[in-house]
């Protein structure tokens, strides 16, 4: 089917509410000369009982069509569960690389919930950061899950993806981003997602992932002190890394980010490989000397893998680390 037919079909199901749309093993192609349908977001509050469910499996779609679907699903004013499994994204040479648009005013309702699960999809660093950036903007409850996806590294600088507060700031919603079994992911992506959770005061879970030091120089300058003023002290950011590998300097950077967020940040590394090994104890000393950081646990553990560790990792270099940060002053490296 054409992309416009697909968008019209998706919108009709979402507007109806309480419906299910399933598409398997089909190709969604850009239309030839077909007028493009604009995403019309109704400012309508509906009950959480009227959730629309969309399932796409083994579907091929352009990156532009993929972004238009996510744009509508996340800003339509209705509760939507959207699961995209093994979706193949292809570029459209006739269209420049699309960008998720900025959001306008949205309805405020605790009943308005978006659940977006992406499974087994190859996406660029830029595209993933765009999707996370959209989650940052949303003013309702949302869960984003990336499971078994593959990051295609590029030269993207997440600082270009402006981090702005939601149009109508409200604390009557929850946000959760879960990344699982993405091996490897870049330091750039990890820092962007974790920093978003810290500054917007929501929950981020990264599990069974191999976080590699980024070769992109922008990653070293990735922090957002200008975001500190938009947050309420009542918000609590929660970071959890479970059975993941993570460079020691990334842990240090996240602790620094947490100190300037102006609200409570809880960070847990559960059975994680932290490297290089000799510098981990130096990190502990730095954190103990910082009055802004409260260490609740910091100890090595013996853990024989439940997921397949890369060969260079050793089971006797796994750590359990838990700390909180509450200070408001800027840290420097």
């Amino acid at each position: 089917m054409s992309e416009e037919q697909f968008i019209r079909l998706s919108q009709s199901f979402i507007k109806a509410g309480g419906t299910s749309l399933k598409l398997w093993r089909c190709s969604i192609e850009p239309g030839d000369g077909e007028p493009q349908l604009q995403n019309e977001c109704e400012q309508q509050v509906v009950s959480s009982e009227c959730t629309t469910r969309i399932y796409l499996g083994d579907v091929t779609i352009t990156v532009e069509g993929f972004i238009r679907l996510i744009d509508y699903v996340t800003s339509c004013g209705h509760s939507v569960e959207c699961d995209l499994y093994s979706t193949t994204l292809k570029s459209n040479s006739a269209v420049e690389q699309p960008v998720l648009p900025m959001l306008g005013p949205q309805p405020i309702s605790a009943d308005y919930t978006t659940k977006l699960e992406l499974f087994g999809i190859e996406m660029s660093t830029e595209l993933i950061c765009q999707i996370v950036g959209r989650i940052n903007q949303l003013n309702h409850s949302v869960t984003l899950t990336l499971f078994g996806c593959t990051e295609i590294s590029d030269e993207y600088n997440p600082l270009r993806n402006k981090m702005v507060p939601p149009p109508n700031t409200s604390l009557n919603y929850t946000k959760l981003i879960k990344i699982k079994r993405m091996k490897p992911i870049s330091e750039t992506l990890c820092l962007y997602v974790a920093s978003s959770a810290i500054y917007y005061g929501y929950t981020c879970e990264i599990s069974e992932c191999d976080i590699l030091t980024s070769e992109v120089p922008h990653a070293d300058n990735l922090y957002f002190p200008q975001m500190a003023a938009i947050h309420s002290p009542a918000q609590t950011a929660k970071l959890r890394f479970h059975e993941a590998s993570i460079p020691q300097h990334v842990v240090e950077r996240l602790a620094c980010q947490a100190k300037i967020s102006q609200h409570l940040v809880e960070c847990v590394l559960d059975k994680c490989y932290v490297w290089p090994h000799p510098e981990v104890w130096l990190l502990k000393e730095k954190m103990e000397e910082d009055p802004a950081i409260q260490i609740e646990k910091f100890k090595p553990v013996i853990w024989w893998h439940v997921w397949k560790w890369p060969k260079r990792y050793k089971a006797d270099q796994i750590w359990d680390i838990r700390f909180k940060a509450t200070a408001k002053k800027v840290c420097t490296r």
Side-chain angles (χ1 to χ4, degrees):
M1 74 178 71
S2 74
E3 185 178 298
E4 294 308 315
Q5 290 174 327
F6 169 68
I7 294 297
R8 287 188 174 94
L9 180 64
S10 301
Q11 291 185 359
S12 65
F13 271 77
I14 291 172
K15 290 177 181 178
T19 58
S20 295
L21 170 64
K22 296 183 179 181
L23 295 176
W24 297 95
R25 296 182 179 177
C26 61
S27 180
I28 301 168
E29 303 289 342
D32 297 326
E34 193 174 0
Q36 189 175 94
L37 180 67
Q38 298 297 319
N39 283 1
E40 299 176 357
C41 302
E42 297 181 355
Q43 300 304 308
Q44 176 184 352
V45 176
V46 297
S47 170
S48 59
E49 298 179 357
C50 295
T51 298
T52 298
R53 293 171 175 84
I54 298 177
Y55 303 91
L56 302 185
D58 293 324
V59 169
T60 299
I61 188 172
T62 65
V63 175
E64 181 186 32
F66 180 76
I67 285 181
R68 290 180 65 196
L69 174 63
I70 290 178
D71 178 28
Y72 189 77
V73 163
T74 57
S75 60
C76 63
H78 299 255
S79 292
V80 180
E81 294 181 7
C82 183
D83 297 338
L84 308 180
Y85 293 93
S86 301
T87 302
T88 300
L89 305 182
K90 63 179 182 179
S91 61
N92 183 354
S93 58
V95 179
E96 294 184 0
Q97 183 70 15
V99 177
L100 277 164
M102 298 292 290
L103 289 175
Q106 302 172 72
I108 299 177
S109 171
D111 292 334
Y112 177 21
T113 303
T114 298
K115 294 182 180 179
L116 179 61
E117 180 168 316
L118 309 180
F119 178 89
I121 304 176
E122 291 188 359
M123 294 175 284
S124 68
T125 305
E126 178 173 2
L127 180 54
I128 298 174
C129 288
Q130 281 192 40
I131 295 171
V132 173
R134 165 49 58 95
I135 301 305
N136 294 341
Q137 296 180 52
L138 296 176
N139 195 40
H140 59 268
S141 295
V142 57
T143 298
L144 169 66
T145 302
L146 288 86
F147 186 96
C149 293
T150 300
E151 177 190 2
I152 303 172
S153 296
D154 54 27
E155 296 298 316
Y156 179 60
N157 177 7
L159 288 173
R160 296 191 311 221
N161 191 4
K162 302 297 184 182
M163 298 179 74
V164 297
N168 300 301
T169 302
S170 169
L171 296 178
N172 296 322
Y173 56 76
T174 59
K175 291 183 180 180
L176 169 62
I177 293 182
K178 297 189 289 185
I179 299 178
K180 186 172 184 178
R181 295 189 181 178
M182 286 184 63
K183 298 179 289 187
I185 66 173
S186 68
E187 172 188 342
T188 301
L189 176 59
C190 174
L191 283 173
Y192 184 73
V193 176
S195 295
S196 296
I198 288 173
Y199 287 111
Y200 288 98
Y202 57 79
T203 300
C204 171
E205 299 178 357
I206 298 179
S207 59
E208 300 180 33
C209 291
D210 183 16
I211 301 165
L212 297 183
T213 300
S214 177
E215 297 180 358
V216 180
H218 307 298
D220 191 54
N221 298 317
L222 183 64
Y223 78 100
F224 307 92
Q226 70 274 18
M227 294 300 299
I230 73 169
H231 303 293
S232 165
Q235 293 173 297
T236 299
K238 298 181 180 181
L239 303 180
R240 187 182 184 217
F241 296 85
H242 176 67
E243 294 179 17
S245 73
I246 182 169
Q248 173 269 335
H249 70 269
V250 172
V251 180
E252 183 177 359
R253 177 64 59 84
L254 292 177
C256 289
Q257 299 279 14
K259 294 197 301 182
I260 61 174
S261 66
Q262 294 194 0
H263 53 243
L264 178 62
V265 179
E266 300 175 353
C267 183
V268 175
L269 281 74
D270 175 36
K271 301 178 181 64
C272 291
Y273 179 88
V274 184
W275 53 277
H277 185 64
E279 296 185 17
V280 180
W281 290 113
L282 296 178
L283 171 63
K284 182 175 185 292
E285 293 177 3
K286 290 181 181 179
M287 296 175 69
E288 287 176 334
E289 294 172 354
D290 194 327
I293 297 177
Q294 177 185 346
I295 296 178
E296 298 181 339
K297 181 186 291 186
F298 204 119
K299 66 178 183 179
V301 295
I302 300 297
W303 184 255
W304 301 100
H305 63 82
V306 296
W307 70 287
K308 188 176 181 180
W309 293 96
K311 292 182 179 179
R312 68 182 183 276
Y313 299 157
K314 299 180 180 179
D316 61 349
Q317 296 179 7
I318 311 302
W319 294 81
D320 278 353
I321 300 173
R322 181 189 297 266
F323 66 88
K324 294 181 179 179
T326 57
K328 303 178 182 180
K329 57 186 179 182
V330 176
C331 78
T332 58
R333 294 185 65 188

